[in-house]
Amino acid sequence: MIKGGIMRVKPMIIGTRNAREMLHIGVEILRDGGSALDAVEATVRAVEDNPLDFTVGYGGLPNLLGETELDASIMDGRTLRAGAVAAVKHFKNPISIARKVMEESPHVLLVGEGAELFAESMGFKRCDLRTDHNRKFYEAFVKDKIPELGDEFARWRNYLMEYIRNYRLREWYERLSMEHHGTVNVIAIDSRGDICTGVSTSGLFLKLPGRVGDSPIIGAGNYADNRVGGAACTGRGELTIRLSTARSIIAYMKAGMSVAEACMQAIRDVNALEETGGVSCLAMDNRGNTYAASNRRTPIYYYMDVDSEAPEERKGSLV
Ligand code: GLY
């Protein structure tokens, strides 16, 4: 069992821009003496439930075949236990399924059909993740970008094969990777000094079916350890998987860097790959210091503690 930080800090929660309106849900739980785990799960769930967030949960933008596939993970810094799911197509709260994987199964990561079977056995209800918006957006985008496919549009398998053959998927994907993704990151510390990190996404818009990003990969998109802090990532997951970015931030802090230095070093590591793709990271240490860094634009994140009336906007560094 990993003990909480030596210094007790004011319970607090931070999240990416898309969690701004939902942080009050987590902070209420912390105010009532609830756990960081409950605060993070409830906050991420609220983002997943929001159909106007097109990059997370219900209404998330679809893959190349027009199907939304969700990835999520949660990590408990007290025990270093974690749960994750990937490529979930028929359930809108992958963060809660991930928590069940952590708490009710001997596993860390379940994918696709297996994750859905597990979700059903845990009592989660199947649902259709499509909304008018994501359907229209997908059709308009595909018709606009690939009009040459004509009648093939309806024949999905041919369409996919045609697309991969003719449109040099790798280059196309790298262009998409700059902008067409989004993820929610939420990190909290509770009154016992326990830290939890949650991450959820529909991944890259028009991704290849079956593509899994960093959000459900413990160490890449998510890591929490009470002895040090919590860290999470957004952006092009392929890069942070290669670098174990979230775990690296924790390791840099453990080696003595401040949370700000650790975040900036993690983004320097991404830049050193010299690959296309934006990455941002968000972190908190176990004394309650927070920071974010990005190679795309100055990152904005939001902070609330048990005395806050409204989310406070904080800025990180563009590296
Ligand atoms: N960072 C989210 C993804 O790559 O899917």
Side-chain angles (χ1 to χ4, degrees), residues 12-15 187-189 230 253 258-261 263 281-293 301-304 312-316:
M12 60 182 65
I13 188 163
I14 56 174
I187 309 174
I189 185 164
M253 291 199 277
S258 68
V259 62
E261 287 165 344
C263 287
C281 59
L282 176 69
M284 177 193 282
D285 69 21
N286 64 2
R287 294 178 300 280
N289 300 303
T290 65
Y291 209 67
Y301 65 101
Y302 290 88
Y303 164 94
M304 283 188 91
E312 174 192 319
E313 183 178 298
R314 294 186 171 181
K315 277 196 176 69

Side-chain angles (χ1 to χ4, degrees), residues 71 181-183 201 203-204 211-215 233-238:
D71 300 340
H181 51 56
T183 301
T201 189
L204 183 70
R211 177 262 184 190
V212 174
D214 60 335
S215 303
C233 302
T234 64
R236 186 169 177 200
E238 282 75 8

